[in-house]
């Protein structure tokens, strides 16, 4: 599944799966490594997909699980380890929710460098600092500054290609662009771009007309010579 094209039914399924998994953890005598691994993968997917309902469901469920350890006077070694892992996941989910587009408090001006940076990377993944500087009409120092800001907000990724940075948009960044109105959502991202039609030439001869015109010239009777 591609996180950037996450659909509403997928989000509902992820939330249901988180609820089912936490119920199983609550009823288990010992929470296994498999439980924690499965929940960790769901949290990662929900974070990358900006799936706030699933993350909220997970946070509430983990806090409920943690309450079971508060009324126990003396925890054994396994119980202490489980409580620590639950607290760690609560922290992860807390920061994942903080870094959602709705919680980033980003208010980018449409004509500012940051907004134009995001739109440029959304339209063409893998742009370098030099390419972005040329497209935005600024220098690479400004691109680096803006890129660090967007990177810390979790809306872009930075990778190395040979000696240059290459910038990609994260699913969270695409979600922000769509919800902020900076870039409308593509209703069908897999549909190939339609070629622009060439304007009709008023003097052009329709297909099939030229042979008929030539035939008409051949069949036209010649005037009689005197």
């Amino acid at each position: 599944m591609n996180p950037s094209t996450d659909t509403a039914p997928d989000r509902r399924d992820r939330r249901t799966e988180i609820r089912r998994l936490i119920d199983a953890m609550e009823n288990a005598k010992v929470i296994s490594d498999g439980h924690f691994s499965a929940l960790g993968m769901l949290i990662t997917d929900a974070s990358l997909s900006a799936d706030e309902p699933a993350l909220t469901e997970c946070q509430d469920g983990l806090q409920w699980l943690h309450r079971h350890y508060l009324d126990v006077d003396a925890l054994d070694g396994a119980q202490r380890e489980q409580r620590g892992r639950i607290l760690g996941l609560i922290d992860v989910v807390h920061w994942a929710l903080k870094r959602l587009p709705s919680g980033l408090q980003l208010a980018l001006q449409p004509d500012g460098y940051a907004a134009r940076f995001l739109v440029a990377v959304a339209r063409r993944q893998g742009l370098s600092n030099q390419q972005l500087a040329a497209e935005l009409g600024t220098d690479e120092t400004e691109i680096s500054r803006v890129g660090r800001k967007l990177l810390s907000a979790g809306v872009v990724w930075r990778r190395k290609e040979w000696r240059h940075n290459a910038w990609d948009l994260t699913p969270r960044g695409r979600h922000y662009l769509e919800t902020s109105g900076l870039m409308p959502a593509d209703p069908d991202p897999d549909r190939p771009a339609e070629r622009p039609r060439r304007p009709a030439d008023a003097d052009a001869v329709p297909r099939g007309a030229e042979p008929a015109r030539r035939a008409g010239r051949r069949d036209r009777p010649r005037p009689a010579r005197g």
Side-chain angles (χ1 to χ4, degrees):
M1 181 181 62
N2 185 355
S4 63
T5 58
D6 197 13
T7 60
D10 294 330
R11 289 171 180 261
R12 287 196 299 269
D13 291 345
R14 187 183 294 121
R15 184 180 179 184
T16 301
E17 182 63 17
I18 286 174
R19 185 185 300 115
R20 185 199 64 78
L21 184 57
I22 289 180
D23 286 345
M25 294 169 72
E26 182 182 1
N27 296 321
K29 293 182 178 179
V30 177
I31 302 175
S32 67
D33 288 340
H35 285 122
F36 283 111
S37 296
L39 190 57
M41 287 188 289
L42 285 169
I43 292 170
T44 302
D45 289 344
S47 178
L48 289 173
S49 303
D51 189 349
E52 186 171 1
L55 289 172
T56 302
E57 182 74 33
C58 188
Q59 184 182 52
D60 293 343
L62 286 170
Q63 289 173 345
W64 175 258
L65 278 180
H66 181 253
R67 292 190 184 99
H68 290 287
Y69 296 89
L70 299 180
D71 298 331
V72 180
D73 295 330
L75 298 176
D76 59 28
Q79 290 174 324
R80 287 196 298 271
E81 180 182 353
Q82 290 179 16
R83 182 184 64 179
R85 295 180 77 171
I86 290 171
L87 286 172
L89 288 178
I90 290 174
D91 286 341
V92 170
V93 176
H94 169 76
W95 287 110
L97 284 166
K98 286 289 187 183
R99 290 176 66 85
L100 287 176
S102 59
L104 292 176
Q105 301 301 321
L106 284 178
L108 305 181
Q109 297 297 323
D111 56 348
Y113 284 135
R116 292 168 58 201
F117 185 117
L118 271 184
V119 171
V121 173
R123 290 175 174 165
R124 184 182 168 193
Q125 301 276 340
L127 286 174
S128 66
N129 285 18
Q130 184 178 10
Q131 290 170 322
L132 281 166
E135 184 160 341
L136 273 60
T138 185
D139 54 37
E140 293 186 45
T141 302
E142 180 67 14
I143 293 298
S144 296
R145 185 189 69 80
V146 174
R148 287 194 298 270
K149 173 185 176 182
L150 297 176
L151 187 66
S152 65
V155 292
V156 294
W157 281 320
R158 180 178 59 192
R159 52 188 169 85
K160 279 288 186 181
E161 283 193 357
W162 190 235
R163 296 180 181 179
H164 305 287
N165 288 336
W167 296 93
D168 297 318
L169 195 71
T170 65
R172 184 177 296 145
R174 185 170 298 279
H175 180 74
Y176 174 78
L177 282 177
E178 293 171 358
T179 55
S180 64
L182 293 174
M183 175 176 286
D186 187 355
D188 187 1
D190 298 326
R191 184 180 61 187
E194 183 178 352
R195 292 183 178 180
R197 295 183 179 180
R198 189 172 60 182
D201 187 354
D203 297 329
V205 179
R207 292 183 179 180
E210 183 63 22
R213 184 183 299 176
R214 291 174 181 172
R217 285 201 296 264
R218 286 197 302 267
D219 297 338
R220 183 183 302 167
R222 297 181 178 180
R225 295 183 179 178

